């Protein structure tokens, strides 16, 4: 019978290492979560600004505006979209994030004076080949036409 090198009893330690790595190399961001049980604007179908709750988290970000620019021409004019990735430690989320939920699509991240939509949120940082997870990976998108900031103000 083969035993895994790392087991669940090591998971707390490995999550602490991941959290420390992001605290040393990451940056502080504002993370806005949507309270899905709140009122919705009847005209646009969007959540009202007071429906978002802000949290301060530390994440590692990969974003280069010049590399990730996707221009497209539509009937309304020239539109730019920017992609970024964010990595978040599990311990950071459980200690400073909202209780009882995971990062979700539709949340907003304020990074480097820019607002980004969370377009994909998944668990990441699996330990070896186990199901044990030490963090989250978020795919972010900034749209020039529909700026996420409009939902927060």
């Amino acid at each position: 019978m083969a035993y895994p090198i790392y087991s669940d009893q090591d998971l707390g330690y490995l999550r602490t290492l991941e959290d420390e790595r992001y605290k040393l190399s990451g940056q502080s961001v504002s993370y806005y979560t949507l309270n899905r049980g709140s009122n919705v604007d009847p005209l646009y179908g969007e959540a009202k600004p007071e429906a978002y709750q802000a949290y301060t988290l530390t994440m590692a970000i990969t974003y280069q505006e010049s590399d990730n620019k996707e221009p497209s021409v539509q009937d309304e004019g020239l539109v730019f979209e920017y992609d970024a990735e964010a990595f978040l430690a599990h311990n950071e989320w459980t200690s400073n994030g909202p209780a009882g939920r995971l990062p979700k699509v539709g949340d907003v991240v304020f990074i480097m004076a820019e607002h980004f939509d969370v377009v994909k949120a998944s668990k990441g940082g699996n330990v070896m080949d186990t199901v044990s997870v030490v963090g989250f990976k978020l795919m972010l998108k900034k749209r020039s036409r529909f700026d996420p900031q409009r939902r927060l103000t």
Side-chain angles (χ1 to χ4, degrees):
M1 172 182 258
Y3 293 100
I5 296 174
Y6 297 107
S7 63
D8 285 339
Q9 64 190 25
D10 300 324
L11 185 58
Y13 173 67
L14 294 171
R15 284 182 173 171
T16 302
L17 291 178
E18 188 77 355
D19 188 38
E20 183 177 338
R21 182 171 72 109
Y22 289 143
K23 286 195 185 305
L24 293 174
S25 63
Q27 60 181 321
S28 181
V29 304
S30 295
Y31 191 94
Y32 298 91
T33 61
L34 179 61
N35 183 359
R36 307 232 187 255
S38 65
N39 293 335
V40 176
D41 186 279
L43 181 60
Y44 298 107
E46 293 182 340
K48 293 184 178 177
E50 61 270 11
Y52 282 89
Q53 296 174 334
Y55 299 90
T56 302
L57 302 172
T58 303
M59 297 182 183
I61 311 296
T62 59
Y63 170 68
Q64 290 292 325
E65 185 174 355
S66 59
D67 295 342
N68 298 324
K69 185 188 289 187
E70 297 176 17
S72 64
V73 179
Q74 299 176 356
D75 293 339
E76 297 84 16
L78 184 62
V79 176
F80 291 101
E81 292 187 353
Y82 304 92
D83 294 327
E85 288 180 327
F87 300 93
L88 174 65
H90 187 276
N91 284 359
E92 176 72 12
W93 180 261
T94 56
S95 63
N96 297 328
R101 76 182 291 273
L102 298 175
K104 292 185 179 179
V105 173
D107 293 343
V108 175
V109 181
F110 184 68
I111 310 164
M112 298 176 287
E114 301 284 346
H115 288 87
F116 286 83
D117 285 315
V118 176
V119 294
K120 183 178 180 185
S122 59
K123 294 179 181 178
N126 291 62
V127 180
M128 300 296 195
D129 291 333
T130 67
V131 296
S132 301
V133 176
V134 295
F136 301 98
K137 180 180 179 181
L138 308 175
M139 300 302 293
L140 307 174
K141 187 170 285 286
K142 180 188 182 312
R143 298 176 174 95
S144 64
R145 189 170 68 182
F146 296 113
D147 188 9
Q149 182 180 5
R150 79 193 189 289
R151 296 184 310 197
L152 303 175
T153 56

